[in-house]
């Protein structure tokens, strides 16, 4: 009895496996046959294409359509027409532009004559015309001019370009001396050099390499000043441009005073600036000396900034055994209630130019005068 049951079960299992193999074989055969079949495209008459796109008047285009656009009945796809022949059309600026030889391929790029036939563009086509292929419009590739290279005020002594960067981790001030333009040297002989001071220290300075005398020297030099983070915003960078003659005599051509501020030193990258050279003041000092300083008012923060630059003609006392410090002179700058003249003008100019440093010289008065 057990042997008969086993035979029945074996027969059922074998039948199922045979049925499964038959179904899989049928599916594989259908996929294999589908890879070698394709759908034949309907044949498009060549005469309809030529008549719709080119018109009935151009027989040359119709002939080209019959030979190029027609296909054999046994081929299920069409080979597009190829651009085989081209002519060179000279332009007015001696450049060459490639124009299609067969007008039937790109009829929309060529001008039409009065009779409706297609014609070639004339040889005197203007650059930038929409009917010419392959031309370049130079107006699209012009860069705007830098006004700092062209706009110089009357009586300008020269212009200096430099870069400033401060590294807080190492407390180093990196100064790049880039170039100068429109320098007014007394002669074409000799050489040029630039001295860099970090005011108020007038004793120590860094000096550039000497350049042959020219109105537009190119320096591209870098200098390093060691200065702490607390005092760097209280310093003033001074550039002095000299002409050195054959007798090694130095003549000052002009100078630039650049106060260092938080806005100037912001970020971890160098910032490029340019300033016009200023002549050294040749006026004789006043009785008690003169003081040069900058004023700046930030109306948003309600903050007044005073940067003292230089002093000259101070009346120092030879006997220093009195007290450690004593007044040498004073100057008052403020509104109309307190000042007049140059001090009032300095104050009003500061208010008219918010967030800018306004620099001027002022004569000191006696320390005991009202």
């Amino acid at each position: 009895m057990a042997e008969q049951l086993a035979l029945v079960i074996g027969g059922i299992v074998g039948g199922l496996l045979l049925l499964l193999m038959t179904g899989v074989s049928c599916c594989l055969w259908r996929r294999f046959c589908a890879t070698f079949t394709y759908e034949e495209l309907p044949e498009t008459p060549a005469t309809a294409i030529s008549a719709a796109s080119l018109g009935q008047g151009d027989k040359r285009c119709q002939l080209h359509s019959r030979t190029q656009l027609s296909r054999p009945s046994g081929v299920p796809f069409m080979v597009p027409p190829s651009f085989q022949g081209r002519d060179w059309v000279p332009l007015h600026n001696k450049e060459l532009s490639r124009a299609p030889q067969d007008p039937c391929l790109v009829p929309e790029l060529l001008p039409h004559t009065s009779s409706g036939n297609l014609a070639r563009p004339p040889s005197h086509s203007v650059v930038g015309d929409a009917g010419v292929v392959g031309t370049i419009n130079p107006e699209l590739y012009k860069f705007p001019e830098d006004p700092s290279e062209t706009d110089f005020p009357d009586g300008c002594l020269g212009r200096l370009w430099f870069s400033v960067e401060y590294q807080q981790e190492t407390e180093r001030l990196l100064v790049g001396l880039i170039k100068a333009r429109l320098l007014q040297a007394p002669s074409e002989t000799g050489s040029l050099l630039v001295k860099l001071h970090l005011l108020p220290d007038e004793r120590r300075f860094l000096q550039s390499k000497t350049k042959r005398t020219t109105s537009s020297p190119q320096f591209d030099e870098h200098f390093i000043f060691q200065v702490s983070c607390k005092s760097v915003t209280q310093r003033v960078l001074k550039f002095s441009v000299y002409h050195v003659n054959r007798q090694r005599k130095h003549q000052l051509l002009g100078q630039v005073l650049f106060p260092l501020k938080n806005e100037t030193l912001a970020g971890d990258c160098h910032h490029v600036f340019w300033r016009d050279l200023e002549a050294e003041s040749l006026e004789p000092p006043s009785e008690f000396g003169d003081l040069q300083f900058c004023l700046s008012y930030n109306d948003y923060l309600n903050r007044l900034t005073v940067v003292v630059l230089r002093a000259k003609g101070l009346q120092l006392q030879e006997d220093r055994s009195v007290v450690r410090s004593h007044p040498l002179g004073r100057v008052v700058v403020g509104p109309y209630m307190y000042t007049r003249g140059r001090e009032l003008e300095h104050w009003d100019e500061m208010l008219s130019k918010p967030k800018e440093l306004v620099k001027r010289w002022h004569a000191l008065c006696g320390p005991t005068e009202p």
Side-chain angles (χ1 to χ4, degrees):
M1 190 66 181
E3 294 179 356
Q4 294 179 355
L5 181 62
L7 290 175
V8 172
I9 293 175
I12 295 174
V13 172
L16 292 176
L17 290 177
L18 181 60
L19 182 61
L20 180 62
M21 292 177 62
T22 304
V24 172
S25 301
C26 293
C27 293
L28 293 178
W29 176 255
R30 289 180 181 178
R31 290 188 179 183
F32 179 78
C33 295
T35 57
F36 290 95
T37 61
Y38 59 89
E39 183 179 358
E40 184 175 0
L41 298 176
E43 184 175 357
T44 303
T47 56
I49 296 177
S50 61
S53 59
L54 305 178
Q56 299 178 357
D58 199 338
K59 296 182 178 180
R60 180 185 176 187
C61 295
Q62 294 178 1
L63 179 60
H64 179 79
S65 300
R66 293 191 186 100
T67 57
Q68 295 288 340
L69 301 179
S70 60
R71 60 177 179 85
S73 58
V75 180
F77 58 91
M78 261 173 44
V79 179
S82 60
F83 297 87
Q84 298 178 357
R86 293 181 182 271
D87 291 338
W88 291 98
V89 179
L91 302 180
H92 74 286
N93 60 349
K94 298 182 180 180
E95 294 182 357
L96 295 180
S97 174
R98 303 192 72 173
Q101 182 178 3
D102 196 343
C104 298
L105 299 180
V106 283
E108 66 277 4
L109 298 180
L110 303 179
H112 293 272
T113 59
S114 58
S115 60
N117 296 330
L118 298 177
R120 295 183 180 276
S123 59
H124 58 276
S125 299
V126 181
V127 175
D129 189 3
V132 180
V133 182
T135 58
I136 298 177
N137 187 359
E139 298 295 332
L140 300 177
Y141 299 92
K142 286 187 177 181
F143 293 94
E145 294 183 354
D146 187 2
S148 65
E149 296 280 357
T150 56
D151 297 341
F152 294 95
D154 296 336
C156 181
L157 300 178
R159 185 167 293 175
L160 192 68
W161 280 261
F162 55 92
S163 63
V164 178
E165 179 184 357
Y166 184 71
Q167 297 178 349
Q168 295 184 357
E169 296 181 358
T170 57
E171 294 187 339
R172 298 193 309 173
L173 179 66
L174 308 181
V175 181
L177 182 60
I178 302 175
K179 62 183 178 180
R181 294 292 183 266
L182 207 67
L183 295 182
Q184 307 297 324
S187 64
E188 298 180 356
T189 60
S191 58
L192 299 171
L193 61 88
V194 180
K195 293 182 179 181
L196 291 82
H197 292 82
L198 193 59
L199 302 180
D201 190 0
E202 286 276 5
R203 296 174 298 175
R204 293 178 293 181
F205 63 90
L206 301 177
Q207 180 175 313
S208 70
K209 299 179 181 178
T210 57
K211 299 291 183 179
R212 182 179 58 85
T213 300
T214 176
S215 62
S216 302
Q218 192 78 22
F219 293 97
D220 295 328
E221 299 184 41
H222 301 275
F223 306 90
I224 299 177
F225 291 95
Q226 199 72 33
V227 55
S228 64
C229 299
K230 297 181 179 180
S231 63
V232 64
T233 55
Q234 303 173 2
R235 299 296 189 94
V236 178
L237 194 59
K238 176 183 176 182
F239 300 88
S240 302
V241 183
Y242 291 91
H243 174 262
V244 184
N245 58 16
R246 295 180 179 179
Q247 289 75 29
R248 308 299 298 172
K249 182 179 179 180
H250 290 57
Q251 179 180 350
L252 181 64
L253 301 182
Q255 59 186 6
V256 171
L257 296 176
F258 186 75
L260 300 175
K261 302 184 298 181
N262 292 328
E263 295 82 1
T264 304
L265 306 176
D268 296 332
C269 59
H270 70 279
H271 304 272
V272 178
F273 306 92
W274 60 266
R275 293 291 186 273
D276 289 337
L277 298 181
E278 299 178 354
E280 188 178 18
S281 177
L282 300 179
E283 298 180 0
S286 59
E287 180 181 1
F288 297 98
D290 297 274
L291 188 67
Q292 186 187 40
F293 55 90
C294 298
L295 294 179
S296 176
Y297 180 68
N298 191 325
D299 53 356
Y300 181 76
L301 300 176
N302 294 327
R303 182 177 63 186
L304 176 66
T305 303
V306 181
V307 181
V308 179
L309 300 177
R310 294 183 299 172
K312 64 179 180 179
L314 299 179
Q315 302 298 324
L316 301 178
Q317 297 182 2
E318 297 181 358
D319 187 7
R320 299 184 180 179
S321 62
V322 282
V323 290
R324 179 172 299 179
S325 62
H326 59 278
L328 300 178
R330 65 187 181 93
V331 60
V332 179
V333 178
Y336 182 79
M337 183 181 296
Y338 304 99
T339 60
R340 300 291 188 276
R342 293 177 58 87
E343 288 73 23
L344 179 60
E345 293 177 0
H346 195 179
W347 183 265
D348 292 340
E349 186 179 1
M350 175 200 68
L351 295 178
S352 63
K353 299 178 180 179
K355 301 180 182 179
E356 292 187 15
L357 287 173
V358 181
K359 175 180 57 179
R360 283 201 177 187
W361 280 98
H362 294 278
L364 298 177
C365 59
T368 57
E369 295 181 9

